[in-house]
Structure formats: C-alpha cells, structure tokens
Amino acid sequence: SDGQLGNGATSNKTTPTLTSSLGTGRTAVALSSGEYHTCAILDNGSVSCWGRGTYGQLGNGATSDRSTPTLTSSLGTGRTAVALSSGGSHTCAILDNGAVSCWGRGNYGRLGNGGTSDKTTPTLTSSLGTGRTAVALSSGAYHTCAILDNGAVSCWGEGSDSQLGNGATSDKTTPTLTSSLGTGRTAVVLSSGGAHTCAILDNGAVSCWGFGWNGRLGNGGTSNKNSPTLTSSLGAGRTAVALSSGTWHTCAILDNGDVSCWGYGYYGQLGNGAS
C-alpha cells in the first residue's frame, strides 16, 4: 500500500514480483527491509530505496512514498555502502571507509548523530570512537547496534527497554559502547529485534540484551537485561554460526546445522511444534 514492493504499484502481491528497474545495468548486492520500506546496495556501491517515505527513510531528500527503487542522496564524496540495515522507519549503512551513515526518523536518537530530528538524506553518525570503524550493523525498531573493528559493540537510539546494552535505560543519540561481552570476548555476528539485540561471540556462544518479556533473551528468564547476558546452553558442545531476530524472538543456526529458537511462540514462530 505504500509502494514497498517496488514494482510501481500499491497493490498486494501474493507471488514474487520483480521490482522496477534498479537503473540501467545496475544490480543489487545486499538488501534490508524496514517496517514499510526496503533499501538495497547496488553493484556500484550506491543505495536505492522504495516504500514509505514519511520520515525521510528513503534517503532521497524527500518525504513522499516511492513505489519504484529510488537512489538516495549522496553518501559523501567518493563514498559507497558496503553493508546496510533498516529499522522501523530508519536505515543505517556502513560506508567503504568504515563510517556509518543513517537516514529517516530521528526520534530517540536512532540516527546516532547527536540529535533527534528526522534526516531525509544520509547523515554520518557521531564518532564510533577514536580510530574505530564499523564492520557489521543491525537495526531494531528504534535502535541500531554495530560491531566495531575491535569486536566491541556500540549501540544508539531508544534505551528504555535496555536495548542499548550499556547498563542503563536512557536513550543515546550517539554511538555508545555496550557493557562487557565477557572477559576476552568479542562479537562476530549481530541481530536486533524490536527492542532487543543478540550477538554471537567469538567462541560461538550467544549473548543478548534488552527487552526480556516472553523469554526473547534466551537466558531462562523474562526480565530485561541492560548489559550483554549469555543465553542458556545451545546444547552440549553446540555453538552458533548465524543469527536472526524477529520482533519478539530470535533463532540461531548451530554448528551442526540445527536451528534453535527462543522467545514468543504463540504463533508457532519457534518451530518446535508448540504455540
């Protein structure tokens, strides 16, 4: 209804439908969908978005919806995007120099630039730390977290449900390091849900923080955690190799190819035969 299928129309489609052209000779190499919009990195490193544009989340300098792929404004002179993650009404991208640029709705500080106003064009976040760059990125509904080049995790945006993992519950308008991931531990994979984030650590364990209702942190409890907290065991000798979070649950691929899930299961989203 907001053009989020990118095919030039606003009707629902019950079968896979190609978007309109990404540009002459252009192809997509990465993709991330927000609540009502999608953005893609193209083969030349530019970014194209479509869908709802109310808060500038398409990054093209406007606030109108787009039903076809539309290039964002410049990412900066000579800059290209290498990774991308879309949240509820915002998108953040890692640039080829390791900086992070965000656009869209700015309330709660989710753009990480020190302010709370919307941005209709890509806008650099504040510093990730002296000499630090981003190597991975994941956006939740109102927050974003990044793995830095030293394996630490930095988050920004809404913090009321502890989703920034820094030991507090206040919003942060600039990138803010989480509390320790554990002695000597670093993050290698990151996935954010609506108000929580989980990370695979360098030893294959999983640590989560944020809103704990329905067990979405996987630690055997339902309380919020404002610092990274290890999940319960993934199984004897098992480690995680991939991770994906929904609004209220998270699933991990284990090293033996099995899938393990935790969190809200009312609709069967844990895949364990129950609801």
Side-chain angles (χ1 to χ4, degrees):
S1 60
D2 296 308
Q4 56 263 61
L5 305 187
N7 65 340
T10 54
S11 58
N12 300 341
K13 294 292 182 181
T14 61
T15 58
T17 302
L18 287 173
T19 67
S20 301
S21 173
L22 296 167
T24 304
R26 296 278 67 88
T27 57
V29 297
L31 195 68
S32 187
S33 294
E35 190 172 11
Y36 299 108
H37 75 292
T38 293
C39 291
I41 300 177
L42 306 185
D43 60 308
N44 63 352
S46 61
V47 176
S48 188
C49 302
W50 56 94
R52 183 177 291 184
T54 310
Y55 301 107
Q57 60 263 57
L58 305 186
N60 65 342
T63 54
S64 56
D65 300 345
R66 294 288 182 175
S67 62
T68 59
T70 303
L71 288 173
T72 67
S73 300
S74 174
L75 296 168
T77 304
R79 296 279 68 89
T80 57
V82 298
L84 193 68
S85 186
S86 296
S89 298
H90 73 289
T91 294
C92 291
I94 299 177
L95 306 184
D96 60 301
N97 63 352
V100 175
S101 188
C102 302
W103 56 93
R105 194 162 195 182
N107 63 336
Y108 305 113
R110 72 178 93 174
L111 304 185
N113 65 348
T116 56
S117 59
D118 300 346
K119 295 293 182 181
T120 62
T121 59
T123 303
L124 288 173
T125 67
S126 301
S127 174
L128 296 168
T130 304
R132 295 279 67 89
T133 57
V135 298
L137 195 67
S138 187
S139 295
Y142 309 123
H143 76 292
T144 294
C145 292
I147 300 177
L148 306 184
D149 59 307
N150 63 352
V153 176
S154 187
C155 302
W156 55 94
E158 186 183 23
S160 61
D161 291 312
S162 303
Q163 58 265 59
L164 304 186
N166 65 342
T169 54
S170 58
D171 301 343
K172 293 292 182 180
T173 63
T174 60
T176 303
L177 288 173
T178 67
S179 302
S180 173
L181 297 167
T183 304
R185 295 279 67 90
T186 57
V188 296
V189 175
L190 197 65
S191 186
S192 295
H196 74 288
T197 293
C198 292
I200 300 177
L201 307 183
D202 59 301
N203 63 351
V206 176
S207 188
C208 301
W209 57 93
F211 198 34
W213 187 62
N214 298 119
R216 71 190 76 182
L217 303 185
N219 66 344
T222 56
S223 60
N224 297 352
K225 293 293 181 182
N226 59 23
S227 59
T229 303
L230 288 172
T231 65
S232 301
S233 174
L234 297 169
R238 296 280 66 90
T239 57
V241 297
L243 198 66
S244 185
S245 297
T247 300
W248 298 329
H249 75 296
T250 292
C251 291
I253 300 177
L254 306 184
D255 59 307
N256 64 350
D258 286 342
V259 176
S260 185
C261 300
W262 55 93
Y264 190 51
Y266 182 80
Y267 298 105
Q269 58 264 60
L270 304 186
N272 64 343
S275 60

